[in-house]
Amino acid sequence: MSKKYFYTLFLLFAASVSQIQAQTLVTEHDTQKKEVTATLKSYNDSLLQIRDKIFNSGKSVSGKKRKISVEEARLFLPIAYYKDVIHNIFSLDSNDRDDMRLAQIYLQKPYLVQTTERLLRQQQEKRIEVSRPLVHKVEVADKVVPAPVEMAKTPVELLVLKPDFWSYKGDYSLQVLQNYVSDNWYKGGESNYSALAVAVMEANYNNKQKVKWDNRLELKFGLQSSRSDSLHKVKTTEDLLRLTSKFGLQASKKWYYTVQFIGYTQFARSYKSNDSKVYSAFLAPFNLNLSLGMNYTMDWMDHKLKGNINIAPLAYNLKYTRMRELAPQLGIEEGRKVLHNFGSQLTVDFEWQLMEMLKWKSRLYGYTTFERAEIEWENTFTLQFNKYIGAQLFLYPRFDDGVVRDGNRGYWQIKEFASIGFQLSLATNK
Protein backbone atom coordinates (compact mmCIF):
# COMPACT_ATOMS: atom_id res chain seq x y z
CA MET A 1 0.00 0.00 0.00
CA SER A 2 1.39 3.19 -1.04
CA LYS A 3 1.86 6.15 1.35
CA LYS A 4 -0.49 8.30 -0.66
CA TYR A 5 -3.32 5.81 -0.22
CA PHE A 6 -2.61 5.50 3.53
CA TYR A 7 -2.76 9.26 4.08
CA THR A 8 -6.06 9.46 2.23
CA LEU A 9 -7.66 6.78 4.45
CA PHE A 10 -6.37 8.52 7.58
CA LEU A 11 -7.87 11.87 6.59
CA LEU A 12 -11.23 10.27 5.83
CA PHE A 13 -11.22 8.54 9.24
CA ALA A 14 -10.35 11.79 11.08
CA ALA A 15 -13.11 13.69 9.29
CA SER A 16 -15.61 10.99 10.23
CA VAL A 17 -14.58 11.13 13.90
CA SER A 18 -14.87 14.95 13.96
CA GLN A 19 -18.31 14.82 12.41
CA ILE A 20 -19.46 12.23 14.94
CA GLN A 21 -18.14 14.37 17.88
CA ALA A 22 -19.84 17.53 16.51
CA GLN A 23 -23.15 15.71 16.18
CA THR A 24 -22.74 14.39 19.72
CA LEU A 25 -22.14 17.94 21.13
CA VAL A 26 -25.10 19.35 19.24
CA THR A 27 -27.26 16.53 20.53
CA GLU A 28 -26.10 17.11 24.11
CA HIS A 29 -26.69 20.91 23.80
CA ASP A 30 -30.16 20.37 22.38
CA THR A 31 -30.92 17.91 25.17
CA GLN A 32 -29.81 20.37 27.88
CA LYS A 33 -31.75 23.18 26.18
CA LYS A 34 -34.88 21.04 26.10
CA GLU A 35 -34.40 20.10 29.74
CA VAL A 36 -34.04 23.78 30.78
CA THR A 37 -37.04 24.76 28.66
CA ALA A 38 -39.08 21.97 30.23
CA THR A 39 -38.02 23.07 33.74
CA LEU A 40 -38.94 26.70 33.10
CA LYS A 41 -42.22 25.66 31.50
CA SER A 42 -43.04 23.44 34.46
CA TYR A 43 -42.15 26.24 36.93
CA ASN A 44 -44.21 28.74 34.96
CA ASP A 45 -47.18 26.33 34.81
CA SER A 46 -47.03 25.98 38.58
CA LEU A 47 -47.10 29.76 39.03
CA LEU A 48 -50.08 30.04 36.67
CA GLN A 49 -51.97 27.34 38.55
CA ILE A 50 -51.35 29.04 41.87
CA ARG A 51 -52.38 32.44 40.37
CA ASP A 52 -55.63 30.90 39.13
CA LYS A 53 -56.12 29.35 42.50
CA ILE A 54 -55.83 32.76 44.18
CA PHE A 55 -57.48 35.18 41.79
CA ASN A 56 -60.10 33.30 39.75
CA SER A 57 -63.06 33.07 42.10
CA GLY A 58 -61.43 33.09 45.50
CA LYS A 59 -63.62 30.19 46.71
CA SER A 60 -63.87 26.46 46.13
CA VAL A 61 -66.99 24.57 45.18
CA SER A 62 -67.86 24.10 48.85
CA GLY A 63 -67.81 27.84 49.39
CA LYS A 64 -64.75 27.95 51.60
CA LYS A 65 -61.83 30.23 50.91
CA ARG A 66 -58.92 28.53 49.17
CA LYS A 67 -55.62 28.55 50.99
CA ILE A 68 -52.12 28.39 49.59
CA SER A 69 -49.83 25.77 51.05
CA VAL A 70 -46.35 26.49 52.34
CA GLU A 71 -44.82 24.59 49.41
CA GLU A 72 -46.78 26.71 46.93
CA ALA A 73 -45.81 29.93 48.66
CA ARG A 74 -42.12 29.05 48.24
CA LEU A 75 -42.45 29.48 44.50
CA PHE A 76 -43.20 33.22 44.99
CA LEU A 77 -40.37 33.80 47.41
CA PRO A 78 -36.67 34.26 46.52
CA ILE A 79 -35.17 30.84 45.69
CA ALA A 80 -33.88 29.22 48.89
CA TYR A 81 -32.50 25.75 49.79
CA TYR A 82 -35.00 23.77 51.86
CA LYS A 83 -33.87 20.46 53.47
CA ASP A 84 -37.33 18.92 53.37
CA VAL A 85 -37.42 19.23 49.56
CA ILE A 86 -34.61 16.65 49.15
CA HIS A 87 -36.14 14.45 51.85
CA ASN A 88 -39.56 14.49 50.19
CA ILE A 89 -38.44 13.61 46.67
CA PHE A 90 -36.59 10.50 47.91
CA SER A 91 -39.52 9.24 49.95
CA LEU A 92 -41.57 6.33 48.53
CA ASP A 93 -44.88 8.17 48.50
CA SER A 94 -43.56 11.40 47.11
CA ASN A 95 -45.88 13.04 44.56
CA ASP A 96 -45.34 16.75 45.33
CA ARG A 97 -44.65 18.46 42.01
CA ASP A 98 -43.57 21.70 43.74
CA ASP A 99 -40.73 19.88 45.51
CA MET A 100 -39.69 18.30 42.22
CA ARG A 101 -39.54 21.69 40.53
CA LEU A 102 -37.38 23.16 43.33
CA ALA A 103 -35.13 20.07 43.15
CA GLN A 104 -34.68 20.57 39.42
CA ILE A 105 -33.61 24.16 40.07
CA TYR A 106 -31.11 23.00 42.73
CA LEU A 107 -29.55 20.55 40.26
CA GLN A 108 -29.69 22.48 36.99
CA LYS A 109 -29.57 26.19 38.11
CA PRO A 110 -27.77 26.26 41.46
CA TYR A 111 -26.68 29.87 40.93
CA LEU A 112 -30.33 30.99 41.30
CA VAL A 113 -30.37 29.88 44.97
CA GLN A 114 -30.02 33.06 47.07
CA THR A 115 -30.29 31.84 50.68
CA THR A 116 -31.06 28.80 52.87
CA GLU A 117 -33.87 27.73 55.15
CA ARG A 118 -31.65 28.11 58.23
CA LEU A 119 -30.86 31.77 57.44
CA LEU A 120 -34.54 32.50 56.84
CA ARG A 121 -35.47 31.09 60.25
CA GLN A 122 -32.80 33.23 61.94
CA GLN A 123 -34.34 36.35 60.41
CA GLN A 124 -37.84 35.58 61.70
CA GLU A 125 -39.16 37.50 64.72
CA LYS A 126 -39.16 35.73 68.05
CA ARG A 127 -42.56 34.75 69.29
CA ILE A 128 -43.64 34.17 72.85
CA GLU A 129 -46.20 31.47 73.31
CA VAL A 130 -48.92 32.46 75.77
CA SER A 131 -50.03 29.54 77.86
CA ARG A 132 -53.01 31.34 79.37
CA PRO A 133 -55.13 34.07 77.86
CA LEU A 134 -54.65 37.51 79.32
CA VAL A 135 -57.64 38.81 81.21
CA HIS A 136 -57.97 42.54 81.94
CA LYS A 137 -59.84 43.71 84.95
CA VAL A 138 -62.30 46.40 83.91
CA GLU A 139 -63.75 48.69 86.52
CA VAL A 140 -67.18 49.96 85.65
CA ALA A 141 -67.68 53.64 86.45
CA ASP A 142 -70.39 56.15 85.72
CA LYS A 143 -69.74 58.38 82.76
CA VAL A 144 -69.07 61.83 84.08
CA VAL A 145 -68.94 64.92 81.92
CA PRO A 146 -65.50 66.50 82.40
CA ALA A 147 -65.54 69.85 84.08
CA PRO A 148 -64.56 72.77 81.86
CA VAL A 149 -61.04 73.98 82.30
CA GLU A 150 -60.99 77.55 83.49
CA MET A 151 -58.28 79.73 82.07
CA ALA A 152 -56.09 81.47 84.59
CA LYS A 153 -56.81 85.16 84.69
CA THR A 154 -53.71 87.27 84.28
CA PRO A 155 -53.97 91.03 84.63
CA VAL A 156 -52.81 92.79 81.49
CA GLU A 157 -51.78 96.41 81.43
CA LEU A 158 -53.03 98.02 78.24
CA LEU A 159 -51.06 101.01 77.07
CA VAL A 160 -52.88 103.27 74.64
CA LEU A 161 -50.69 105.82 72.93
CA LYS A 162 -52.38 108.96 71.76
CA PRO A 163 -51.09 110.36 68.50
CA ASP A 164 -48.55 113.13 68.97
CA PHE A 165 -48.43 115.54 66.07
CA TRP A 166 -45.69 117.76 67.50
CA SER A 167 -42.20 117.97 66.04
CA TYR A 168 -39.24 119.83 67.52
CA LYS A 169 -36.08 121.28 66.05
CA GLY A 170 -33.16 123.29 67.39
CA ASP A 171 -30.11 124.98 65.88
CA TYR A 172 -27.37 126.13 68.25
CA SER A 173 -24.08 127.85 67.58
CA LEU A 174 -21.29 129.65 69.42
CA GLN A 175 -18.90 131.38 67.04
CA VAL A 176 -16.11 133.89 66.71
CA LEU A 177 -16.81 136.42 63.98
CA GLN A 178 -15.75 139.46 62.09
CA ASN A 179 -18.54 142.00 62.08
CA TYR A 180 -19.28 144.99 59.85
CA VAL A 181 -21.99 147.59 60.66
CA SER A 182 -22.75 150.68 58.60
CA ASP A 183 -22.55 154.07 60.31
CA ASN A 184 -26.29 154.60 60.16
CA TRP A 185 -27.34 151.19 61.55
CA TYR A 186 -30.52 151.84 63.49
CA LYS A 187 -29.39 149.87 66.54
CA GLY A 188 -25.85 151.24 66.60
CA GLY A 189 -22.69 149.14 66.92
CA GLU A 190 -19.39 149.08 65.03
CA SER A 191 -17.23 146.83 62.91
CA ASN A 192 -15.10 144.51 65.02
CA TYR A 193 -14.14 141.00 66.01
CA SER A 194 -16.49 139.46 68.51
CA ALA A 195 -18.29 136.34 69.75
CA LEU A 196 -21.84 135.35 68.93
CA ALA A 197 -24.24 132.85 70.49
CA VAL A 198 -27.34 131.82 68.55
CA ALA A 199 -30.23 129.52 69.46
CA VAL A 200 -33.17 128.90 67.13
CA MET A 201 -35.85 126.59 68.51
CA GLU A 202 -38.97 125.35 66.73
CA ALA A 203 -42.08 123.55 67.96
CA ASN A 204 -44.48 122.69 65.15
CA TYR A 205 -47.87 121.00 65.22
CA ASN A 206 -49.38 119.24 62.20
CA ASN A 207 -52.24 116.76 62.50
CA LYS A 208 -51.86 115.78 58.80
CA GLN A 209 -55.46 116.81 58.13
CA LYS A 210 -56.49 120.44 58.52
CA VAL A 211 -54.50 122.18 61.23
CA LYS A 212 -50.91 123.46 61.33
CA TRP A 213 -49.32 125.58 64.03
CA ASP A 214 -45.68 126.62 63.62
CA ASN A 215 -43.73 128.31 66.41
CA ARG A 216 -40.16 129.60 66.24
CA LEU A 217 -38.15 131.36 68.93
CA GLU A 218 -34.90 133.08 67.87
CA LEU A 219 -32.29 134.14 70.41
CA LYS A 220 -29.14 135.95 69.26
CA PHE A 221 -26.65 137.69 71.49
CA GLY A 222 -23.21 138.95 70.50
CA LEU A 223 -20.56 140.82 72.50
CA GLN A 224 -17.49 142.74 71.49
CA SER A 225 -14.56 144.31 73.24
CA SER A 226 -13.31 147.41 71.37
CA ARG A 227 -10.07 149.12 72.25
CA SER A 228 -11.08 152.26 70.39
CA ASP A 229 -14.02 152.74 72.74
CA SER A 230 -12.95 154.56 75.89
CA LEU A 231 -16.47 154.64 77.38
CA HIS A 232 -17.55 151.01 76.99
CA LYS A 233 -15.41 147.98 77.59
CA VAL A 234 -18.05 145.62 76.30
CA LYS A 235 -20.80 146.38 73.80
CA THR A 236 -23.42 144.27 72.01
CA THR A 237 -23.05 143.51 68.31
CA GLU A 238 -26.10 141.27 67.80
CA ASP A 239 -29.11 141.34 70.07
CA LEU A 240 -32.41 139.75 69.10
CA LEU A 241 -35.34 138.15 70.87
CA ARG A 242 -38.02 137.22 68.32
CA LEU A 243 -41.06 134.96 68.43
CA THR A 244 -42.94 133.94 65.29
CA SER A 245 -46.18 131.98 65.61
CA LYS A 246 -48.37 130.98 62.68
CA PHE A 247 -51.69 129.13 62.89
CA GLY A 248 -53.17 127.67 59.69
CA LEU A 249 -56.27 125.85 58.45
CA GLN A 250 -55.84 123.88 55.25
CA ALA A 251 -57.55 125.26 52.16
CA SER A 252 -55.92 122.91 49.61
CA LYS A 253 -52.91 120.65 49.39
CA LYS A 254 -50.39 123.51 49.54
CA TRP A 255 -52.44 126.51 50.75
CA TYR A 256 -53.54 127.37 54.29
CA TYR A 257 -55.63 130.17 55.76
CA THR A 258 -53.27 131.66 58.35
CA VAL A 259 -53.07 134.05 61.26
CA GLN A 260 -49.46 135.09 61.92
CA PHE A 261 -47.94 136.78 64.94
CA ILE A 262 -44.44 138.28 64.95
CA GLY A 263 -43.03 140.00 68.02
CA TYR A 264 -39.42 141.00 68.60
CA THR A 265 -37.18 143.12 70.80
CA GLN A 266 -33.67 142.78 72.32
CA PHE A 267 -31.97 141.84 75.60
CA ALA A 268 -29.60 144.69 76.48
CA ARG A 269 -28.72 148.29 75.66
CA SER A 270 -26.80 149.15 72.49
CA TYR A 271 -24.20 151.92 72.07
CA LYS A 272 -21.96 153.35 69.46
CA SER A 273 -18.24 153.59 70.02
CA ASN A 274 -17.23 156.49 72.37
CA ASP A 275 -20.86 157.54 72.64
CA SER A 276 -22.85 157.40 75.85
CA LYS A 277 -26.20 157.68 74.11
CA VAL A 278 -28.45 154.63 74.22
CA TYR A 279 -29.63 153.71 70.74
CA SER A 280 -31.79 150.72 71.66
CA ALA A 281 -32.69 148.65 74.72
CA PHE A 282 -35.08 146.01 76.00
CA LEU A 283 -38.60 146.96 74.77
CA ALA A 284 -37.11 149.99 73.08
CA PRO A 285 -38.27 149.24 70.53
CA PHE A 286 -40.75 146.38 70.70
CA ASN A 287 -42.38 145.49 67.38
CA LEU A 288 -45.54 143.45 67.00
CA ASN A 289 -47.14 142.40 63.73
CA LEU A 290 -50.44 140.54 63.49
CA SER A 291 -51.62 139.53 60.02
CA LEU A 292 -54.41 137.59 58.35
CA GLY A 293 -53.81 135.93 55.01
CA MET A 294 -52.78 132.72 53.27
CA ASN A 295 -49.68 130.57 53.45
CA TYR A 296 -48.13 128.49 50.65
CA THR A 297 -45.88 125.55 51.52
CA MET A 298 -42.80 125.11 49.32
CA ASP A 299 -41.18 121.74 48.67
CA TRP A 300 -39.18 122.04 45.47
CA MET A 301 -36.09 120.65 43.76
CA ASP A 302 -36.41 117.11 45.12
CA HIS A 303 -36.92 118.30 48.75
CA LYS A 304 -33.76 120.44 48.67
CA LEU A 305 -35.69 123.73 48.82
CA LYS A 306 -38.31 123.91 51.57
CA GLY A 307 -40.12 126.86 53.09
CA ASN A 308 -43.25 128.98 53.34
CA ILE A 309 -44.65 132.06 51.64
CA ASN A 310 -47.13 134.02 53.75
CA ILE A 311 -49.22 136.68 52.00
CA ALA A 312 -51.33 138.87 54.30
CA PRO A 313 -53.46 141.59 52.65
CA LEU A 314 -54.54 142.72 56.12
CA ALA A 315 -51.87 143.30 58.77
CA TYR A 316 -51.68 145.30 61.98
CA ASN A 317 -48.31 146.66 63.11
CA LEU A 318 -47.45 148.12 66.52
CA LYS A 319 -44.16 149.72 67.48
CA TYR A 320 -43.53 150.54 71.11
CA THR A 321 -40.64 152.09 73.08
CA ARG A 322 -40.39 152.40 76.80
CA MET A 323 -37.78 155.17 76.39
CA ARG A 324 -39.42 158.31 75.02
CA GLU A 325 -36.09 159.83 73.95
CA LEU A 326 -35.73 157.07 71.32
CA ALA A 327 -39.11 157.83 69.73
CA PRO A 328 -37.92 160.19 66.93
CA GLN A 329 -35.24 157.83 65.55
CA LEU A 330 -37.73 154.97 65.60
CA GLY A 331 -40.32 156.88 63.56
CA ILE A 332 -42.61 157.50 66.55
CA GLU A 333 -44.06 160.91 67.11
CA GLU A 334 -42.03 162.88 69.66
CA GLY A 335 -43.41 162.63 73.16
CA ARG A 336 -45.25 159.38 72.44
CA LYS A 337 -44.30 155.73 72.97
CA VAL A 338 -46.56 153.90 70.55
CA LEU A 339 -47.02 153.86 66.80
CA HIS A 340 -49.61 151.61 65.27
CA ASN A 341 -51.01 151.33 61.76
CA PHE A 342 -52.56 148.92 59.25
CA GLY A 343 -51.14 147.68 55.99
CA SER A 344 -50.10 144.60 54.03
CA GLN A 345 -47.40 142.11 54.96
CA LEU A 346 -45.30 139.51 53.11
CA THR A 347 -43.05 136.92 54.72
CA VAL A 348 -40.89 134.39 52.85
CA ASP A 349 -38.93 131.79 54.83
CA PHE A 350 -36.96 129.08 53.07
CA GLU A 351 -34.01 126.76 53.52
CA TRP A 352 -32.05 125.65 50.45
CA GLN A 353 -29.51 122.82 50.59
CA LEU A 354 -27.16 124.08 47.89
CA MET A 355 -24.63 121.28 48.39
CA GLU A 356 -24.07 118.52 50.88
CA MET A 357 -22.11 120.84 53.19
CA LEU A 358 -23.50 124.24 52.15
CA LYS A 359 -26.93 125.53 53.20
CA TRP A 360 -28.66 128.86 52.55
CA LYS A 361 -31.30 130.00 55.02
CA SER A 362 -33.23 133.17 54.18
CA ARG A 363 -36.01 135.30 55.65
CA LEU A 364 -37.63 138.11 53.64
CA TYR A 365 -40.03 140.34 55.56
CA GLY A 366 -41.95 143.22 54.06
CA TYR A 367 -44.56 145.52 55.58
CA THR A 368 -46.07 148.50 53.84
CA THR A 369 -48.73 151.12 54.45
CA PHE A 370 -49.72 154.22 52.54
CA GLU A 371 -47.21 156.17 54.65
CA ARG A 372 -44.18 153.93 55.12
CA ALA A 373 -42.48 150.71 53.97
CA GLU A 374 -40.19 148.37 55.85
CA ILE A 375 -38.21 145.54 54.20
CA GLU A 376 -35.76 143.14 55.87
CA TRP A 377 -33.83 140.39 54.13
CA GLU A 378 -31.80 138.10 56.38
CA ASN A 379 -29.45 135.63 54.64
CA THR A 380 -27.37 133.03 56.44
CA PHE A 381 -24.94 130.81 54.51
CA THR A 382 -23.74 127.87 56.62
CA LEU A 383 -20.76 125.70 55.68
CA GLN A 384 -20.86 122.61 57.89
CA PHE A 385 -17.46 120.91 58.19
CA ASN A 386 -18.68 118.15 60.48
CA LYS A 387 -21.38 117.58 63.09
CA TYR A 388 -20.01 120.20 65.49
CA ILE A 389 -17.88 122.65 63.51
CA GLY A 390 -19.19 125.10 60.93
CA ALA A 391 -18.73 128.55 59.42
CA GLN A 392 -21.36 131.21 58.74
CA LEU A 393 -21.73 134.25 56.51
CA PHE A 394 -24.56 136.58 57.49
CA LEU A 395 -25.88 139.31 55.15
CA TYR A 396 -28.67 141.59 56.35
CA PRO A 397 -29.80 144.50 54.12
CA ARG A 398 -32.68 146.54 55.48
CA PHE A 399 -34.92 149.35 54.17
CA ASP A 400 -37.06 151.56 56.43
CA ASP A 401 -38.38 154.95 55.31
CA GLY A 402 -40.06 155.53 58.65
CA VAL A 403 -36.81 156.56 60.38
CA VAL A 404 -34.56 159.57 59.97
CA ARG A 405 -32.93 159.62 56.56
CA ASP A 406 -29.13 159.24 56.44
CA GLY A 407 -27.11 161.58 54.29
CA ASN A 408 -25.01 158.81 52.71
CA ARG A 409 -27.21 155.71 52.38
CA GLY A 410 -30.66 157.20 52.68
CA TYR A 411 -33.12 154.73 54.14
CA TRP A 412 -30.91 151.69 53.42
CA GLN A 413 -29.02 149.92 56.21
CA ILE A 414 -26.73 146.90 56.00
CA LYS A 415 -25.17 144.46 58.41
CA GLU A 416 -22.71 141.64 57.73
CA PHE A 417 -20.57 139.21 59.69
CA ALA A 418 -18.53 136.07 59.04
CA SER A 419 -17.79 133.54 61.76
CA ILE A 420 -16.49 130.06 62.44
CA GLY A 421 -16.97 127.90 65.49
CA PHE A 422 -19.31 125.47 67.22
CA GLN A 423 -22.44 124.52 65.24
CA LEU A 424 -25.05 121.92 66.26
CA SER A 425 -28.47 121.00 64.85
CA LEU A 426 -30.98 118.78 66.64
CA ALA A 427 -34.34 117.58 65.37
CA THR A 428 -37.03 115.39 66.90
CA ASN A 429 -40.00 114.26 64.81
CA LYS A 430 -42.87 112.39 66.40
Side-chain angles (χ1 to χ4, degrees), residues 63-81:
K64 296 183 180 180
K65 292 184 178 180
R66 298 175 180 175
K67 296 182 180 180
I68 302 175
S69 64
V70 176
E71 290 76 8
E72 294 173 337
R74 290 175 180 176
L75 299 178
F76 291 97
L77 299 177
I79 303 301
Y81 175 75

Side-chain angles (χ1 to χ4, degrees), residues 334-351:
E334 188 174 356
R336 303 188 63 178
K337 293 185 177 181
V338 179
L339 173 65
H340 54 84
N341 47 46
F342 292 89
S344 301
Q345 180 257 326
L346 171 69
T347 304
V348 180
D349 286 289
F350 68 84
E351 186 175 300

Side-chain angles (χ1 to χ4, degrees), residues 128-135:
I128 301 176
E129 298 294 337
V130 179
S131 59
R132 292 182 303 173
L134 299 176
V135 180

Side-chain angles (χ1 to χ4, degrees), residues 355 357-359 381-386 389-393:
M355 294 186 293
M357 299 173 59
L358 181 60
K359 180 173 62 178
F381 296 89
T382 303
L383 183 61
Q384 194 76 32
F385 299 112
N386 54 39
I389 304 298
Q392 286 188 356
L393 175 63

Side-chain angles (χ1 to χ4, degrees), residues 52-294:
D52 294 340
K53 188 177 181 181
I54 297 173
F55 297 107
N56 275 349
S57 61
K59 294 183 179 180
S60 62
V61 178
S62 62
K64 296 183 180 180
K65 292 184 178 180
R66 298 175 180 175
K67 296 182 180 180
I68 302 175
S69 64
V70 176
E71 290 76 8
E72 294 173 337
R74 290 175 180 176
L75 299 178
F76 291 97
L77 299 177
I79 303 301
Y81 175 75
Y82 301 98
K83 294 185 294 183
D84 59 338
V85 171
I86 306 302
H87 180 270
N88 292 336
I89 63 175
F90 284 102
S91 62
L92 297 176
D93 56 349
S94 175
N95 59 358
D96 194 337
R97 290 178 297 175
D98 297 330
D99 291 339
M100 292 298 296
R101 295 185 185 97
L102 288 175
Q104 291 176 359
I105 293 174
Y106 295 162
L107 295 174
Q108 299 177 6
K109 301 290 182 179
Y111 56 86
L112 296 178
V113 180
Q114 299 180 7
T115 182
T116 63
E117 182 181 5
R118 182 176 60 82
L119 294 177
L120 291 176
R121 292 185 180 278
Q122 290 179 356
Q123 295 175 0
Q124 291 179 351
E125 296 181 354
K126 294 182 179 180
R127 297 182 180 181
I128 301 176
E129 298 294 337
V130 179
S131 59
R132 292 182 303 173
L134 299 176
V135 180
H136 298 278
K137 294 182 179 180
V138 180
E139 296 181 359
V140 180
D142 295 334
K143 187 176 182 180
V144 180
V145 179
V149 179
E150 296 183 0
M151 301 297 294
K153 296 181 180 180
T154 305
V156 178
E157 295 182 359
L158 183 61
L159 179 62
V160 180
L161 297 177
K162 295 182 178 180
D164 191 353
F165 302 113
W166 286 94
S167 62
Y168 305 94
K169 182 180 179 181
D171 294 325
Y172 309 94
S173 64
L174 177 61
Q175 299 182 335
V176 178
L177 56 95
Q178 170 269 326
N179 186 42
Y180 170 78
V181 180
S182 62
D183 296 337
N184 66 332
W185 184 250
Y186 77 108
K187 290 185 179 180
E190 67 173 355
S191 302
N192 54 62
Y193 291 94
S194 59
L196 175 66
V198 178
V200 180
M201 294 169 286
E202 295 183 13
N204 301 321
Y205 175 89
N206 187 357
N207 66 356
K208 310 297 182 181
Q209 294 179 354
K210 292 292 184 181
V211 180
K212 285 181 66 176
W213 185 19
D214 298 335
N215 301 274
R216 180 170 60 194
L217 178 63
E218 300 172 80
L219 307 174
K220 296 182 181 181
F221 191 71
L223 292 174
Q224 68 170 359
S225 178
S226 178
R227 296 180 181 180
S228 61
D229 189 355
S230 59
L231 297 178
H232 312 286
K233 293 184 178 181
V234 177
K235 299 192 302 292
T236 59
T237 56
E238 181 68 18
D239 197 349
L240 176 65
L241 171 59
R242 180 167 61 199
L243 174 64
T244 303
S245 181
K246 181 168 54 182
F247 181 83
L249 295 176
Q250 190 173 24
S252 64
K253 185 176 180 180
K254 297 289 186 179
W255 288 94
Y256 284 81
Y257 301 107
T258 57
V259 177
Q260 180 175 261
F261 168 85
I262 302 176
Y264 60 94
T265 184
Q266 61 187 65
F267 292 98
R269 295 186 174 187
S270 297
Y271 301 94
K272 288 186 178 181
S273 183
N274 296 314
D275 190 351
S276 60
K277 179 183 176 180
V278 178
Y279 285 85
S280 61
F282 179 68
L283 297 179
F286 168 72
N287 288 273
L288 182 148
N289 185 278
L290 185 64
S291 61
L292 178 64
M294 295 194 71

